[in-house]
Amino acid sequence: MPPLLLRSPAPPSSGVLCRRRKSIRVRASWQELAGVLVFSAVPFTAVKAIANSPLGASLRRRLESRKAFAAAKADALRAAAREARSSSFWYGGARPRWLGPLRYDYPEHLAGEFPGDYGFDIAGLGRDPVAFANYFNFEILHCRWAMLAALGVVVPELLDLFGIVHFVEPVWWKVGYAKLQVKYQYQPCLSSFSTQYDCSCYRPEEDMSI
């Protein structure tokens, strides 16, 4: 059986107005583009230059000389942390649990050795010790990135407020909102299958082009 071909009839004489989306146009000042390039490249370039310089070699030798002292200090800190956890209310088998006084078969691999351990692991993500250690380190890394992101939210507004650097839009959430705006226009719809879903009298309240 030959394939069924659907052919659309000729467009009607009365043109139907259809909403069509234009391509997004984003305009940024040269200061903004230069700032993005500079602030992106400077940290990596500076670290690489320092690492290959005599100053970098001196820093490496100094760190190697202090390595043994730092290792001994780390062992002392770990011993103090173990002692603090053993005497703390929030660690150990008698720590508070996420269901409080209700009886529940809590997982055995969560023994209250880590901060924030309330015995909640219904998915069993912490059964593998190696995977659990990786998750722990990843969470610390994510928290540090979140702190840097919070700093990046405040700094542009402060720089623009004090007149040090002028941005097109210093408020972080307004930047994302403005870049997602699109423009629509009325154009004749040439398809006879146009419905209320693709043809409408849409009129934006204002032109949000950047």
Side-chain angles (χ1 to χ4, degrees):
M1 181 178 179
L4 181 62
L5 299 178
L6 297 179
R7 297 172 180 261
S8 60
S13 58
S14 58
V16 182
L17 294 182
C18 177
R19 181 181 69 181
R20 293 190 177 181
R21 183 169 141 180
K22 276 188 174 181
S23 59
I24 303 174
R25 295 182 300 175
V26 179
R27 294 197 301 268
S29 62
W30 67 269
Q31 295 95 335
E32 203 172 17
L33 296 176
V36 170
L37 294 176
V38 169
F39 284 112
S40 300
V42 162
F44 301 100
T45 306
V47 170
K48 186 67 176 178
I50 293 175
N52 295 332
S53 65
L55 176 60
S58 175
L59 290 175
R60 284 195 297 271
R61 289 193 298 268
R62 185 178 300 179
L63 291 175
E64 288 292 337
S65 63
R66 298 184 58 184
K67 186 176 180 179
F69 173 75
K73 186 177 180 181
D75 292 336
L77 290 176
R78 280 192 288 266
R82 287 193 296 268
E83 182 180 358
R85 290 177 181 177
S86 62
S87 59
S88 175
F89 172 74
W90 301 101
Y91 292 89
R95 71 192 186 282
R97 307 297 178 91
W98 68 283
L99 283 179
L102 301 179
R103 292 186 178 181
Y104 181 73
D105 187 14
Y106 291 98
E108 298 180 356
H109 58 273
L110 296 181
E113 300 175 353
F114 294 92
D117 181 6
Y118 293 94
F120 182 83
D121 190 15
I122 58 177
L125 298 177
R127 291 177 181 174
D128 185 2
V130 177
F132 184 79
N134 291 332
Y135 294 148
F136 187 83
N137 294 327
F138 292 158
E139 190 65 22
I140 295 176
L141 180 62
H142 296 163
C143 293
R144 291 173 179 172
W145 277 114
M147 289 187 287
L148 289 175
L151 185 64
V153 167
V154 177
V155 168
E157 294 191 41
L158 293 178
L159 293 177
D160 189 82
L161 179 63
F162 292 102
I164 300 175
V165 178
H166 292 288
F167 298 92
V168 176
E169 180 53 71
V171 182
W172 67 274
W173 66 269
K174 289 185 179 180
V175 174
Y177 172 78
K179 291 184 181 296
L180 291 176
Q181 297 305 305
V182 296
K183 286 173 45 177
Y184 294 93
Q185 68 173 357
Y186 287 113
Q187 289 185 358
C189 183
L190 301 181
S191 174
S192 61
F193 293 101
S194 301
T195 63
Q196 60 179 344
Y197 298 103
D198 57 2
C199 295
S200 61
C201 295
Y202 176 79
R203 185 183 302 276
E205 297 180 359
E206 57 181 352
D207 188 0
M208 295 298 295
S209 62
I210 303 174

